[in-house]
């Protein structure tokens, strides 16, 4: 499957998934319709579906535009969010199958950022929306720290060579924050330098490899001694279980 990465809005990404056997395509999280439709025409593919990871407008804002141009599009979104996904036709749950032409994927239910957040897993690829970012994770807007920790645990269990296609270009700032909670992690320092070099050339830092996330992303590393004992030292009385550590690190990131 071929992926066409489309910059949208100020720092969003949409992803055009193209089955090269059939030339059919799906778009993940079209925050804007016109740039996506233009890319579909330029690529010469047949758009057949929209895959929404969650209901936020910067991930669904292009649904109506695309449906105006192709009313028979399938629109996939979480069943729990059926009232908040524009044009939804396929209400999916954990473990449901998704097809792009002859390419098959699976739905993961990963709430926390929103109560209905889902991810799409295809062989070697994860489309994580705002649940997992390169170097970070989404704010816990509607769910709980427990839900988000559990959701990130599901993602940790994927193969380390999985490519993570997330919803935003936040990597540089995420890694700058990561160094504040795990300053002894040389992997973070090296990755930040590489990311800064990419951004200086206005290049994408996404996708990332899950192995790199496991080595540098503080929200996947809440069991790291440096992070959990660092939190305990800075905030006496905090518990050092993964959920409590996650909640404190997320609180710090929210104010960063």
């Amino acid at each position: 499957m071929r992926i066409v990465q489309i910059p949208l809005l100020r720092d969003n990404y949409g992803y055009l998934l193209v089955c090269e056997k059939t030339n059919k395509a799906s778009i993940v999280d079209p925050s804007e319709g016109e740039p996506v439709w233009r890319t579909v025409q330029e690529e010469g593919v047949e758009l057949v579906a929209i895959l929404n990871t969650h209901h936020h407008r910067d991930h669904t804002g292009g649904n109506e535009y695309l449906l105006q141009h192709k009313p028979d599009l399938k629109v996939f979104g979480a069943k729990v969010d059926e009232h908040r996904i524009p044009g939804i036709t396929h209400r999916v749950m954990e473990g449901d199958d998704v097809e792009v032409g002859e390419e098959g994927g699976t739905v993961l239910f990963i709430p926390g950022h929103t109560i209905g957040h889902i991810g799409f897993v295809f062989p070697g690829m994860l489309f994580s929306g705002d649940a997992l970012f390169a170097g970070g994770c989404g704010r816990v807007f509607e769910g709980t720290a427990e839900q988000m920790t559990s959701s990130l645990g599901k993602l940790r269990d994927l193969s380390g060579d999985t490519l993570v296609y997330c919803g935003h270009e936040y990597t540089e700032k995420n890694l700058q924050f990561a160094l504040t909670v795990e300053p002894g992690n040389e992997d973070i320092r090296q990755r930040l330098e590489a990311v800064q070099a990419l951004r200086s050339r206005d290049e994408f830092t996404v996708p990332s490899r899950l192995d790199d996330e496991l080595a540098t992303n503080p929200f996947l590393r809440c069991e790291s001694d440096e992070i959990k004992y660092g939190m305990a030292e800075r905030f006496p009385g905090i518990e050092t279980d993964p959920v409590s550590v996650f909640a404190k690190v997320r609180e710090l990131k929210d104010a960063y």
Side-chain angles (χ1 to χ4, degrees):
M1 185 162 64
R2 181 167 63 93
I3 309 301
V4 181
Q5 192 161 331
I6 310 173
L8 299 169
L9 299 178
R10 183 171 61 88
D11 53 32
N12 280 71
Y13 288 128
Y15 300 102
L16 191 66
L17 284 53
V18 180
C19 172
E20 297 187 278
K21 298 176 184 176
T22 64
N23 209 42
K24 295 183 184 299
S26 296
I27 181 67
V28 176
D29 286 349
S31 51
E32 298 179 274
E34 191 278 330
V36 170
W37 188 248
R38 183 174 67 248
T39 302
V40 167
Q41 305 308 304
E42 291 171 350
E43 295 292 327
V45 298
E46 180 189 358
L47 187 65
V48 297
I50 297 171
L51 309 180
N52 290 131
T53 62
H54 61 296
H55 72 87
H56 285 163
R57 191 68 180 171
D58 65 327
H59 292 256
T60 64
N63 284 23
E64 294 99 331
Y65 181 99
L66 295 173
L67 285 165
Q68 287 172 4
H69 285 76
K70 202 165 189 296
D72 62 344
L73 285 176
K74 299 175 182 177
V75 181
F76 291 80
K79 180 176 175 56
V80 68
D81 266 347
E82 61 183 342
H83 61 296
R84 302 198 287 185
I85 303 291
I88 190 169
T89 61
H90 288 63
R91 298 153 178 81
V92 296
M93 300 171 64
E94 172 87 13
D96 284 350
D97 294 331
V98 177
E99 293 181 350
V100 179
E102 295 182 9
E103 302 285 350
T106 305
V107 173
L108 279 184
F109 185 54
I110 44 176
H113 179 65
T114 66
I115 59 172
H117 200 297
I118 57 177
F120 299 96
V121 179
F122 290 84
M125 293 175 281
L126 164 68
F127 296 89
S128 60
D130 288 358
L132 178 66
F133 294 134
C137 76
R139 290 174 181 256
V140 182
F141 281 126
E142 298 177 2
T144 65
E146 289 83 0
Q147 285 179 316
M148 196 67 160
T149 302
S150 176
S151 294
L152 293 174
K154 287 184 183 180
L155 302 183
R156 284 178 56 136
D157 289 341
L158 297 174
S159 173
D161 60 2
T162 299
L163 293 177
V164 180
Y165 292 87
C166 63
H168 293 268
E169 181 59 69
Y170 290 164
T171 316
E172 184 175 0
K173 188 172 183 180
N174 284 343
L175 293 174
Q176 289 170 343
F177 170 76
L179 273 179
T180 70
V181 296
E182 200 175 13
N185 187 329
E186 187 60 27
D187 289 333
I188 299 175
R189 199 173 306 278
Q190 291 179 8
R191 186 180 178 195
L192 177 57
E193 290 176 0
V195 162
Q196 289 172 330
L198 288 171
R199 295 309 293 158
S200 71
R201 301 190 297 270
D202 201 29
E203 296 181 20
F204 301 154
T205 67
V206 178
S208 61
R209 280 171 51 92
L210 185 58
D211 272 342
D212 292 331
E213 297 306 321
L214 294 172
T216 62
N217 189 322
F219 299 103
L220 298 179
R221 297 180 54 77
C222 290
E223 296 181 14
S224 155
D225 284 347
E226 184 176 8
I227 292 179
K228 67 182 181 181
Y229 295 129
M231 291 298 104
E233 183 176 352
R234 290 171 65 180
F235 304 99
I238 186 178
E239 299 293 331
T240 57
D241 62 282
V243 173
S244 298
V245 173
F246 169 85
K248 180 54 69 173
V249 175
R250 185 63 256 179
E251 179 184 323
L252 294 173
K253 180 62 171 67
D254 288 349
Y256 183 72

